Amino acid sequence: MSSTPSSHWRALLKASIDGHRHIKGQNYVQFATVSPDLKPKNRMLVFRGFAEAQNTTHPPLKFITDSRSNKISDLSHNPSAEVVYWFQQSQEQYRISGTCTLVTHSSTTPLHLQERLDTWSNLRGNAKEQFFWVNEFYEKKTASQVPVDGLGVNGEVLPPPNTFVLVLFKPTNIGLLTLTDSSRIEWDDDEGIGKRLNEGRLL
């Protein structure tokens, strides 16, 4: 898909993702937050898709985390975050600023709780197991204490433990940098038309 200001950034991002599915690890993104002591914190997270049940036109992006991780304290103190996608093959970088909603077991919005449950159900078994471990540093319990693949004794998918947190990321500013022609497009909000900031040079 041609990167033009009139194109909606989500359509461009989905096209970039589809074009790189054959590359292992391409679903990892950089996810930056601000700690309570105002220090930047960055790490790699797996992009879990769009929460289209929440908003069919402008669905938030989905990530997951452990309730015992530092991301929780960061986002509880300041819900602002920034996500960066890099697609090596097409030489595209998406930099997306936004705000996060943490969906926990005690959330009161039914639609959020259903999204959390659906996301948990779609996880691979080994990913489910990690949320049953002793702590976020992956200190394992004994084998008998961790349900294999997150399944019960009869093979049923167990409910997500309280440590499982869904992060709904709502974009507020989006930038697309394409290195092949040194162009940059920016969208000031999730609904507007993008504007080309430069042509033929990097910012």
Side-chain angles (χ1 to χ4, degrees):
M1 176 178 290
S2 176
S3 299
T4 64
S6 61
S7 301
H8 194 276
W9 68 270
R10 248 191 206 83
L12 297 174
L13 177 58
K14 287 181 178 180
S16 296
I17 292 172
D18 289 342
H20 290 75
R21 289 191 185 280
H22 63 288
I23 301 176
K24 186 177 181 179
Q26 194 61 70
N27 57 336
Y28 282 89
V29 304
Q30 294 188 51
F31 188 93
T33 57
V34 180
S35 68
D37 59 356
L38 303 182
K39 294 181 179 179
K41 300 294 181 180
N42 197 15
R43 75 285 286 166
M44 302 296 288
L45 287 184
V46 176
F47 171 57
R48 300 289 176 177
F50 295 96
E52 295 185 347
Q54 307 298 312
N55 186 322
T56 57
T57 305
H58 305 292
L61 284 64
K62 293 196 300 182
F63 302 93
I64 62 173
T65 190
D66 192 297
S67 65
R68 300 161 292 186
S69 76
N70 290 333
K71 291 187 291 296
I72 297 299
S73 60
D74 291 353
L75 293 171
S76 297
H77 182 265
N78 184 344
S80 298
E82 186 163 272
V83 171
V84 174
Y85 294 79
W86 168 247
F87 298 101
Q88 177 67 35
Q89 188 168 286
S90 59
Q91 297 286 284
E92 295 172 311
Q93 174 189 272
Y94 292 82
R95 191 169 69 189
I96 307 173
S97 300
T99 57
C100 297
T101 298
L102 299 176
V103 183
T104 70
H105 68 285
S106 60
S107 296
T108 58
T109 303
L111 203 57
H112 286 178
L113 290 173
Q114 186 61 51
E115 192 75 56
R116 177 176 178 265
L117 182 60
D118 292 344
T119 303
W120 171 259
S121 298
N122 290 330
L123 285 184
R124 292 181 178 180
N126 60 346
K128 290 188 177 79
E129 289 180 15
Q130 296 175 11
F131 291 93
F132 291 96
W133 291 356
V134 173
N135 57 42
E136 74 275 21
F137 299 110
Y138 309 126
E139 177 186 348
K140 295 183 178 181
K141 297 182 181 180
T142 61
S144 61
Q145 293 176 294
V146 177
V148 177
D149 289 336
L151 301 177
V153 294
N154 296 316
E156 75 280 10
V157 176
L158 294 175
N162 293 350
T163 53
F164 179 73
V165 179
L166 173 66
V167 180
L168 296 177
F169 177 80
K170 181 181 179 181
T172 55
N173 182 270
I174 304 95
L176 168 58
L177 173 65
T178 305
L179 293 184
T180 53
D181 61 1
S182 301
S183 65
R184 182 175 175 180
I185 301 173
E186 185 171 296
W187 292 260
D188 289 330
D189 57 54
D190 198 9
E191 301 182 21
I193 295 176
K195 58 183 178 181
R196 191 175 294 278
L197 299 183
N198 63 317
E199 190 71 53
R201 64 180 180 87
L202 295 178
L203 294 182

